[in-house]
Amino acid sequence: MPGDAASSDGPRPVSGKGAATRAVILETALASFRDRGYDRTTMRQVAEAAGVSLGNAYYYFGSKEELVQEFYAAIQVGHRHRAADALRSRDLVDRLRGVLHAGIDEMAPYHSFAGSFIKVAISPASASSPFSPESAVARQAAIGLFREVLAGSDARPGGPLARDLPELLWLAYLGITLFWVHDTSPDQARTRRLVDTAAPLVGRLVTLSRLPVLRAAAADVHTLLTALRPRDAHR
Amino acid sequence: MPGDAASSDGPRPVSGKGAATRAVILETALASFRDRGYDRTTMRQVAEAAGVSLGNAYYYFGSKEELVQEFYAAIQVGHRHRAADALRSRDLVDRLRGVLHAGIDEMAPYHSFAGSFIKVAISPASASSPFSPESAVARQAAIGLFREVLAGSDARPGGPLARDLPELLWLAYLGITLFWVHDTSPDQARTRRLVDTAAPLVGRLVTLSRLPVLRAAAADVHTLLTALRPRDAHR
């Protein structure tokens, strides 16, 4: 029974039959995001397509925005899985290029969805914004992946850049994603070329960051990052 | 009479009574963008508020998108006017900081409008996108302002950066604008701090760009910019 284990506002139970139902609803919602687009996906239609009652769907997901967070989580898990090969190299540029391409691979089925979705996610105060408090878990996981890109490489960034780089790479990845959303070239080939250009540049800048003459610039970048960061990013 | 001088698809006449009518329609549209938002502004409502017939409004502006291009043009003129003081300095950081603040000053009355408008302008293939062929005139004017920021300064960027910098600064300004749209702090004070941080960083990087060790990075940035640039940007 859906209500069995629900005693608080915390996460819903994810074992046994409940977990299976939840997974079916999520899979159905992701398929609908892909096939119908974001705007035309509703909780009612997801519930119907998943063969559960509307009340049952709402038991597992309080809103369409919660489905988006699950979408982010699913993309994140898929991204990390696809990135495994690239993370076997110790070369920073190889690792970064591989991880960026893996992200685009993972998002590829959602390209047509992205055009409508970005109008929501770009909105100030939207829960689906990558900068929102609601997206904190997905954001930290994504930054964590870029931390892994750096930590497992033989590159050693200097000065304040060492600390900021995972977050800067995540911001760059958001920029690449924004470019990808707009990319109408076949199979988003232009985004692939952008990644192939950006990764060596990052590698070069990381190497240069050890030069004393660049320390002050890295300190400025740190101040800039602090100015950019959502005020509630760490709450 | 509206039809008097209309003999082609070219720009409409801008002298005499026609120019006055056109200006009234544009002023009314800009006021509606500010006060009602982008979505709720229609050609019909603009015509009514301006006291002209719908046909007359369409004679001067073929669509709401053409009003947006006029909005861009008006913002551009206002921006350049406000930037005049800053452009009296020869210090690159002072010039850049002043021009960026002037842009935010000019956009300030439209902050509430920006939240709804960006959902349109961010869209792939929207005529209102800053990267669209339709926006080419506004884009070139904006890049020209940053070219002026550099040309009138005593800074001398090295290598390929010298050529790319106006466009890179324009891209940075778009990023700042995106931040500004989302900025819910009083009077968008966080965007002001972002500008105050970004300008000295740019100044530092321009100085560093003369170092031979950074030439290769500047060449990478050039390749990146080429990958980013819309394929029809120069048509």
Side-chain angles (χ1 to χ4, degrees):
Chain A
M1 288 288 128
D4 282 357
S7 56
S8 78
D9 285 326
R12 296 296 187 248
V14 289
S15 61
K17 192 183 158 203
T21 306
R22 189 175 188 284
V24 166
I25 296 170
L26 180 58
E27 259 317 303
T28 307
L30 296 189
S32 179
F33 284 159
R34 274 196 308 269
D35 302 337
R36 299 169 62 100
Y38 181 76
D39 291 344
R40 294 173 57 222
T41 297
T42 64
M43 288 295 282
R44 180 174 301 275
Q45 166 252 321
V46 168
E48 269 175 30
V52 304
S53 72
L54 184 59
N56 204 350
Y58 272 117
Y59 170 77
Y60 291 102
F61 301 98
S63 64
K64 197 159 90 167
E65 286 68 37
E66 283 191 21
L67 284 167
V68 168
Q69 291 304 330
E70 291 291 329
F71 165 67
Y72 285 160
I75 287 279
Q76 193 58 42
V77 169
H79 187 177
R80 187 169 279 270
H81 183 74
R82 283 178 196 268
D85 262 1
L87 294 176
R88 286 198 190 98
S89 166
R90 295 211 60 207
D91 180 76
L92 174 61
V93 175
D94 286 345
R95 290 169 72 85
L96 179 59
R97 184 170 35 219
V99 164
L100 294 174
H101 280 302
I104 298 169
D105 291 340
E106 184 64 26
M107 293 188 295
Y110 297 94
H111 189 257
S112 60
F113 154 73
S116 65
F117 179 64
I118 199 155
K119 296 180 192 183
V120 178
I122 201 99
S123 258
S126 163
S128 303
S129 159
F131 299 97
S132 74
E134 291 83 353
S135 300
V137 171
R139 181 169 60 244
Q140 289 308 322
I143 295 172
L145 181 54
F146 290 108
R147 191 171 291 118
E148 203 178 323
V149 165
L150 289 157
S153 82
D154 48 20
R156 290 290 164 266
L161 198 65
R163 184 184 30 170
D164 293 334
L165 206 47
E167 195 171 348
L168 288 170
L169 290 177
W170 173 71
L171 285 172
Y173 180 58
L174 284 187
I176 290 169
T177 303
L178 189 59
F179 184 87
W180 171 82
V181 171
H182 289 70
D183 185 356
T184 55
S185 63
D187 294 327
Q188 291 82 55
R190 296 187 69 219
T191 307
R192 302 297 184 165
R193 286 198 292 277
L194 182 65
V195 165
D196 289 338
T197 309
L201 173 61
V202 169
R204 206 184 291 280
L205 293 175
V206 167
T207 304
L208 290 172
S209 71
R210 300 183 64 80
L211 296 177
V213 73
L214 282 179
R215 292 268 167 143
D220 278 358
V221 168
H222 176 74
T223 310
L224 189 73
L225 186 63
T226 307
L228 276 172
R229 194 180 283 143
R231 277 164 302 176
D232 50 16
H234 295 291
R235 77 184 187 189
Chain B
M1 289 288 127
D4 282 356
S7 57
S8 76
D9 286 326
R12 297 296 189 246
V14 289
S15 62
K17 192 185 158 205
T21 307
R22 189 175 188 285
V24 166
I25 296 170
L26 180 57
E27 258 318 302
T28 308
L30 296 189
S32 179
F33 285 159
R34 274 196 307 270
D35 302 337
R36 301 169 59 99
Y38 181 77
D39 292 343
R40 293 173 58 221
T41 297
T42 65
M43 289 294 283
R44 180 173 300 275
Q45 165 253 321
V46 168
E48 271 176 27
V52 303
S53 72
L54 183 59
N56 205 351
Y58 271 117
Y59 170 78
Y60 290 102
F61 301 98
S63 64
K64 198 160 91 168
E65 286 68 37
E66 282 190 21
L67 284 167
V68 168
Q69 291 303 330
E70 292 291 328
F71 164 68
Y72 285 161
I75 287 279
Q76 193 58 41
V77 170
H79 187 177
R80 187 169 280 270
H81 184 76
R82 284 179 196 265
D85 263 0
L87 293 176
R88 285 198 191 99
S89 166
R90 294 211 60 206
D91 180 75
L92 174 61
V93 175
D94 285 346
R95 291 170 72 86
L96 179 60
R97 183 171 35 221
V99 165
L100 293 174
H101 280 302
I104 299 168
D105 290 342
E106 184 63 26
M107 294 188 293
Y110 298 94
H111 189 258
S112 60
F113 154 71
S116 65
F117 179 64
I118 200 156
K119 295 180 193 184
V120 177
I122 200 103
S123 258
S126 164
S128 304
S129 158
F131 299 98
S132 74
E134 291 83 352
S135 300
V137 172
R139 181 170 60 243
Q140 289 308 322
I143 294 173
L145 181 53
F146 289 108
R147 191 170 291 119
E148 204 178 323
V149 166
L150 289 157
S153 83
D154 49 19
R156 291 291 166 261
L161 198 65
R163 184 183 31 169
D164 293 333
L165 207 47
E167 195 172 346
L168 288 169
L169 291 177
W170 173 68
L171 285 171
Y173 180 56
L174 284 188
I176 290 169
T177 303
L178 189 59
F179 185 86
W180 170 81
V181 171
H182 290 72
D183 186 354
T184 54
S185 63
D187 295 325
Q188 294 81 56
R190 295 189 67 219
T191 307
R192 303 297 186 165
R193 285 198 293 276
L194 183 65
V195 165
D196 290 339
T197 309
L201 173 60
V202 169
R204 204 184 291 278
L205 292 176
V206 166
T207 305
L208 289 174
S209 72
R210 300 184 63 79
L211 295 179
V213 73
L214 282 181
R215 292 267 166 143
D220 278 358
V221 168
H222 177 72
T223 310
L224 188 74
L225 186 62
T226 308
L228 276 172
R229 194 181 282 143
R231 277 162 302 174
D232 49 15
H234 295 291
R235 77 183 187 188

